Amino acid sequence: MEEKFEYAVVSLFGYDEPILTEDLLTMYPDLSRQAVYKKIENAVTRGFLTRYDRGVYYIPQATRFGASHLAADKVVARRWLHGRDGGVQGYVSGAALANQVGVSEQVPAVLEVVTNREATRVREVRPFGGWRKILLRRPRREVTVENVDALRFLDLVTVEPVTAMKEHAIEALGCLAAKAGRAQICGCAADYPAKTAKSLIECERCHVFA
């Protein structure tokens, strides 16, 4: 029974990939939650699964330096950004987003994530992966593959005035705007505050839009 469980988990998730408790529960719809939890507990005791954080596990590989470790970015992506089907569920926002797209070179100590999986306006969760703080935010509108770049763009210009940005930052912002598309940006802007509309006017003046 244990070998069958391990084979199924490896086949579905592979090594060094985040596995959520909900993923394992989905594997056994006919078993009680308690029975699945027992399987997980036994797998951790045997060393087959390693617990990364509450509700997050992975299958480590043996290396010459010892057992492999799970990357924090993968955990963030699996928990809040993407479903197992690859669908978009959220995006990184705040200072981390500014660094990610090249608007800022500052390495953030706080990770902000906007995700469809969060029902409250903002909620702090236990940090991991070296971040001092992790904040989850409910999106202004449901995040989809079509609008995710528009929402990322609007988050940036809402927080930081375009006129205060350096030339390289404006160029980076322009690349994101081109990727998002003017139509998506204008459509999503309706869910943002009035200062966002003013920032979009500044974007026009600063030639952010091609």
Side-chain angles (χ1 to χ4, degrees):
M1 291 295 290
E2 293 176 353
E3 291 181 356
K4 186 175 181 180
F5 172 78
E6 293 181 4
Y7 177 80
V9 174
V10 171
S11 299
L12 283 173
F13 307 105
Y15 294 91
D16 299 326
E17 294 293 336
I19 305 169
L20 306 186
T21 300
E22 63 193 64
D23 297 329
L24 297 170
L25 288 169
T26 302
M27 286 178 59
Y28 297 96
D30 298 328
L31 291 183
S32 67
R33 296 177 70 91
Q34 185 177 1
V36 177
Y37 289 149
K38 187 64 176 178
K39 285 180 175 290
I40 295 172
E41 181 182 333
N42 290 340
V44 171
T45 300
R46 295 194 308 273
F48 170 68
L49 285 180
T50 294
R51 184 180 184 273
Y52 180 89
D53 195 13
R54 182 178 180 181
V56 183
Y57 304 86
Y58 70 102
I59 309 170
Q61 297 187 83
T63 73
R64 61 176 181 167
F65 303 108
S68 59
H69 298 282
L70 185 59
D73 287 347
K74 284 187 175 183
V75 177
V76 171
R78 178 64 190 93
R79 265 181 162 175
W80 303 305
L81 307 187
H82 305 288
R84 287 218 62 83
D85 60 356
V88 175
Q89 293 290 324
Y91 58 93
V92 171
S93 188
L97 172 59
N99 177 271
Q100 194 178 77
V101 302
V103 168
S104 170
E105 296 179 356
Q106 180 182 359
V107 179
V110 177
L111 176 68
E112 296 181 49
V113 178
V114 177
T115 175
N116 295 338
R117 295 176 180 172
E118 182 55 43
T120 60
R121 188 179 67 82
V122 60
R123 179 170 64 94
E124 184 174 346
V125 297
R126 187 172 64 181
F128 58 86
W131 291 293
R132 189 174 68 242
K133 183 187 291 186
I134 297 179
L135 299 175
L136 302 183
R137 297 185 184 277
R138 180 182 63 211
R140 296 177 184 272
R141 68 166 56 187
E142 183 179 6
V143 183
T144 66
V145 67
E146 291 82 14
N147 70 18
V148 63
D149 288 315
L151 296 175
R152 294 167 77 219
F153 176 86
L154 289 166
D155 279 10
L156 285 173
V157 300
T158 298
V159 173
E160 186 171 356
V162 180
T163 51
M165 293 183 184
K166 296 181 179 179
E167 184 177 349
H168 73 87
I170 292 176
E171 290 179 358
L173 195 62
C175 290
L176 180 58
K179 185 179 179 182
R182 184 187 291 262
Q184 279 288 354
I185 291 173
C186 292
C188 293
D191 294 313
Y192 281 75
K195 67 177 181 178
T196 306
K198 294 179 180 179
S199 292
L200 292 179
I201 294 173
E202 291 179 359
C203 287
E204 293 281 4
R205 292 172 178 168
C206 295
H207 306 291
V208 171
F209 299 114

